[in-house]
Amino acid sequence: MPIYNAPLADMRFILNEVFNAPQFWQANEKLAHLDSATADAILEEMAKFTQNITLSINRSGDEEGARFENGQVYTATNFKDAFKQYAEGGWIGLSADEEWGGQGMPKMLTVLADEMLFATNPSFMLYPLLSVGAGMALSSYASQEQKEKYLPKIYSGEWTGTMCLTEPHAGTDLGIIKTKAEPNADGSYHITGTKIFITGGDHDLTENIIHLVLAKTPDAPAGSRGISLFIVPKYLVNDDGHLDERNAVGPGSIEHKMGIKASATCVMNFDGAKGYLVGNENEGLAAMFVMMNYERLSMGIQGLGASEFAYQNAAQYATDRLQGRSASGTQSPQKPADSILVHGDVRRMLLNARANNEASRAFAVYVAQQLDITKFSTDAEAIKIANDRVALLTPIAKAYLTDTAFNAVLDAQMCFGGHGYIREWGLEQCVRDLRIAQIYEGTNGVQSQDLIGRKVIKNDGAFIQAFIDEIREEVNQLPSELNFIKDVTLDSATEIEVITRYIIDTAHEDANFSNTVAVDYLHAVGLLSFSYMFAKICHAALDKQTEFYQNKLMLARYFVARILPDLKLRIMRIQSGSDIIMHFDQDYFTTQS
Amino acid sequence: MPIYNAPLADMRFILNEVFNAPQFWQANEKLAHLDSATADAILEEMAKFTQNITLSINRSGDEEGARFENGQVYTATNFKDAFKQYAEGGWIGLSADEEWGGQGMPKMLTVLADEMLFATNPSFMLYPLLSVGAGMALSSYASQEQKEKYLPKIYSGEWTGTMCLTEPHAGTDLGIIKTKAEPNADGSYHITGTKIFITGGDHDLTENIIHLVLAKTPDAPAGSRGISLFIVPKYLVNDDGHLDERNAVGPGSIEHKMGIKASATCVMNFDGAKGYLVGNENEGLAAMFVMMNYERLSMGIQGLGASEFAYQNAAQYATDRLQGRSASGTQSPQKPADSILVHGDVRRMLLNARANNEASRAFAVYVAQQLDITKFSTDAEAIKIANDRVALLTPIAKAYLTDTAFNAVLDAQMCFGGHGYIREWGLEQCVRDLRIAQIYEGTNGVQSQDLIGRKVIKNDGAFIQAFIDEIREEVNQLPSELNFIKDVTLDSATEIEVITRYIIDTAHEDANFSNTVAVDYLHAVGLLSFSYMFAKICHAALDKQTEFYQNKLMLARYFVARILPDLKLRIMRIQSGSDIIMHFDQDYFTTQS
């Protein structure tokens, strides 16, 4: 039976000591109601909920899966109860505006709550996550009437939300979607088309589901500039807020997937369903990106949660498993063999995962703080800086955190030997469940294109330079005892500065270049970001004598010695140019002779 | 529906042009019966069998799985028919001695046949694979009477074989197994104990199963020097070769696994079963290692097969999938979007897989040739050299080929976007099925310990130095047109030479060191080996003007630019020492605060 103990000590350390969150909240009028004790109580409550509820239905959810029967979807046993408890606990609206029934909590805190949910049950977590994403898009773009009608029900958990983007022929390239929205006389629209990969497209958790749907109006411009966003409820909603007749939308089937099997991934058919325009025609993609960006950060948290879960289970297994003897002499002569923790290679795998978790957690809180500044600050300049930082770091939070987490989960699985391959220990499910995080909400390759194209080349490196400047300013303040992390972080910043300039220059001459090196660049910037996080962690831990803090410094040393050198490899690859990749004829790839 | 076209053109190129196999066979008395046309006919027949039979039951086998009912195991639909056809085709004994009904084919050829089987149905392939492994152990260590009784039935496919090593508490550390073998008055033994993870431990494919079982006799020395090997048939066999009564051995259950679900992985209970000693008491581990080494090379081929299968499907999908436009200008204006093959990042993933496949295939044939020398040569010096080379390269063939293949399969899956995560396209199964190859038959971590400890440090680097000398001698003969691969291969050889000396010296002072750097060292030597293979490939392809050959040179350039630089990263990690890993207290790993 897999274990999970919410890493509250590390969460408190990151929040209170690394980022001084309580002071940050107190200094902000809109967040001054939140103090350290309240934040702590929220984390402790979520720890209980996830350790007791979501963890207990994770494996059964995988084995049972969501079911599609007689045209509707049924969730796995106890999912409905768990969702009810979750909603009643007020968790769905934790970060939502109080105006619509939310609790108005900052992202710095909610990312930590999200981590626990993803660690214990990613399939479950996706149901409320999509609701919150839909809520965000509506908060930003919907009319007051629409907000009043839908938001309180979504945040109370009476209804859920979805995002309906992908079609069989259109995933990354939404410009070619075919779903049509034809205007009705009453101002609503007639929605026709098929959407696929719709998370929570149907289920039995709530009485209604609010679909946010991308579609094209009859005279819309071609491509991504001709996409509009519509609200399409499963059951139409009366003006008094009660449910009316069933809308012409429903699931055609559910996908059979590698993992997250308890999350219903639906094919959704819109057969002339009634839809309501959100915002203006042809501005749907912008509205949807509010939601997408929120999800993208969350996918990074999915990685972190899975990696923490995998690490904890692997560390416990490695402690208990007796096999072989220590190379430097028997450690437990009274036992038939030593714990496999004596073996350097097992430690290497565990330390890879743990270093990843601690840096990822700091990075998630760092990005969340930037998001909180954009939402709660009243200082226009601070908001602009934070907005740029969020734009730059969102693809890294999504892709780098899920790539490194997937490797960490694989390492943790390997600690179990053959036992990692069977269901019993929970690791094989963790691998399967996490794999999707690298793929959905824009593949990690697409995230890398977003980073290198829109976030770096397009602004001639302004966003990344500002980030590098911040790193330099802060890291230069580290005392000389921390030179082991200070020097390499500054060196890495310079390496990124130089290679960024090289990329921008080369991209102007070679249109294909940036696409061929984008993933390596994203990883290089991710490594710099993690080095920066470890510098912050070390700064907070220095001069504190307990083992907890001293181990933070040691883990940072491990990161410097064993993980950060990958940055040099990434840069070598970037310097190899695009010709070696673009040279091959298209036919080459499917030709053997 | 997944596709597979056996890569016969590349197989012929590797066999005939890179390794000049027909000349090698003609020059050897025991292999002179084999010519190029016969070898080709065998490959073509296997291509048909795998494209038509094993591929067609791969997905259904995964969905249905092996079943455990009423104390016995049933294989998935059509597996019995396929096994019957496979046996009747004479495939099981393809590499076995003619004396026992085999066809006496060299490993250089059979690795290519094995690749096709693993590509199309790894679950199926494991049934005959274990039979052949059991046959090899019996061929080497069993008495004449035992050979006559069991080998012809195994090679004809009337019976199958298993290897029963692992116990619940003993995997890598076989010295602590508890299964007991008490002598009976008639010279047989009374076998009692539980074995787990037994591939093909029970099934309905054949009327009998011959288990090879490791157990301890009553007065056996402690540890691995007190292990004996026993034949334990499911049904006892009369002296006339007919089946007698059921033996007291049977499956207790089957494991529920991440993948290879159609392969029955059994818990086997030996309740006073009758067993027959193979060879001498307390020498069982050596006999089992004959089988293990055979399996280890095969696991590398499992990686290659999966990677080839994944590549072919991803390349076809990428060709057909239209999404976005080329960065350097629209390629297919008549279509709604360009093929995703225009995107550099998609090409990068495909080229990673293809470069891995072509180098892996060459490496497999190279190691197979060394095995053939040990088996068929009459030159004692040549046999010794080849034996050393096989000892050195077996852990690399197992671990490096499966590690690189797993990454290649992940890259191929990613080319599908969300479609790679659902069953329909076959990629998610391929990932799940392949993952076990990194874990079983000795985890890749354990392979790395074997390489660095027994194969390098123990002989003071003699084996690796001989390999480096061979590389230098052969690569130095490359003409200057091939300097792009010649120079880096020679440089890499020197880097391995230097780091090997550093490792040996450091290991003498620090007992933990080698364990902490073993995986990085194995990858570094793997990269050198692949560079050597590409040097051989380029040498064979140079001066031949068709696109087929020119593309081999281009792919080698891709390898040099994009893959080989990882060697430098591995060396940086090795140089970081063991203290950063061994420093942490054992308690640290399970402590949060």
Side-chain angles (χ1 to χ4, degrees), chain B residues 127-174:
Chain B
Y127 293 105
L129 185 75
L130 271 287
S131 285
V132 174
M136 282 195 67
L138 293 175
S139 293
S140 304
Y141 286 88
S143 67
Q144 182 69 14
E145 190 191 337
Q146 288 171 332
K147 289 180 193 173
E148 284 170 8
K149 198 172 213 173
Y150 299 107
L151 286 179
K153 297 281 194 181
I154 286 175
Y155 291 134
S156 68
E158 287 165 272
W159 303 345
T160 63
T162 75
M163 50 196 294
C164 301
L165 287 75
T166 304
E167 299 181 7
H169 69 293
T172 300
D173 188 356
L174 291 170

Side-chain angles (χ1 to χ4, degrees), chain A residues 325-329 331 338 341-345 347 562, chain B residues 449 452 457 503 506-518 577-583:
Chain A
R325 292 294 185 187
S326 166
S328 56
Q331 300 290 305
D338 290 338
L341 268 182
V342 302
H343 305 307
D345 189 54
R347 287 171 163 249
R562 287 291 184 136
Chain B
Q449 309 304 328
I452 205 167
I457 295 171
I503 288 171
T506 310
H508 288 144
E509 294 157 20
D510 175 0
N512 286 313
F513 177 70
S514 68
N515 200 308
T516 62
V517 300
S578 74
D579 185 58
I580 199 66
I581 288 177
M582 302 312 295
H583 171 94

Side-chain angles (χ1 to χ4, degrees), chain A residues 171 323 413 421 432 435, chain B residues 171 311 323 413 421 432 435:
Chain A
Q323 208 80 175
Q413 183 189 26
Y421 197 69
R432 289 187 289 104
R435 178 60 174 150
Chain B
Y311 169 80
Q323 208 80 174
Q413 183 189 27
Y421 196 68
R432 289 188 288 102
R435 177 61 173 150

Side-chain angles (χ1 to χ4, degrees), chain B residues 212-273:
Chain B
L212 293 191
V213 184
L214 292 184
K216 305 200 95 171
T217 52
D219 303 320
S224 59
R225 287 164 195 219
I227 297 175
S228 304
L229 179 66
F230 299 89
I231 295 168
V232 181
K234 177 177 177 180
Y235 287 94
L236 298 174
V237 182
N238 278 338
D239 288 340
D240 65 1
H242 287 94
L243 298 191
D244 200 337
E245 63 187 89
R246 174 74 188 249
N247 204 352
V249 53
S253 62
I254 58 174
E255 303 290 355
H256 298 283
K257 309 187 298 295
M258 184 179 190
I260 52 164
K261 294 188 178 190
S263 168
T265 306
C266 303
V267 175
M268 297 300 294
N269 297 320
F270 297 82
D271 301 321

Side-chain angles (χ1 to χ4, degrees), chain A residues 67-82:
Chain A
R67 286 174 296 120
F68 179 69
E69 279 172 22
N70 304 319
Q72 68 182 87
V73 175
Y74 299 88
T75 55
T77 305
N78 290 328
F79 269 58
K80 191 168 181 171
D81 279 354

Side-chain angles (χ1 to χ4, degrees), chain B residues 475-480 482-491 535:
Chain B
V475 173
N476 267 319
Q477 293 168 24
L478 263 58
S480 61
L482 296 179
N483 278 352
F484 76 91
I485 183 77
K486 180 177 178 175
D487 294 347
V488 293
T489 306
L490 292 172
D491 289 351

Side-chain angles (χ1 to χ4, degrees), chain A residues 283-306:
Chain A
E283 294 176 8
L285 218 48
M288 194 53 97
F289 265 97
V290 169
M291 188 168 174
M292 287 290 282
N293 278 330
Y294 177 88
E295 307 294 348
R296 283 174 177 176
L297 181 55
S298 297
M299 301 304 83
I301 310 300
Q302 179 175 1
L304 168 56

Side-chain angles (χ1 to χ4, degrees), chain B residues 9 97 181 192 200 213 308 395 398 415 417 436 496 546 555 591:
Chain B
D97 294 338
T192 315
V213 184
E308 175 68 32
K398 195 276 180 178
C415 289
I436 190 60
I496 295 297
T546 70
L555 193 63
T591 305

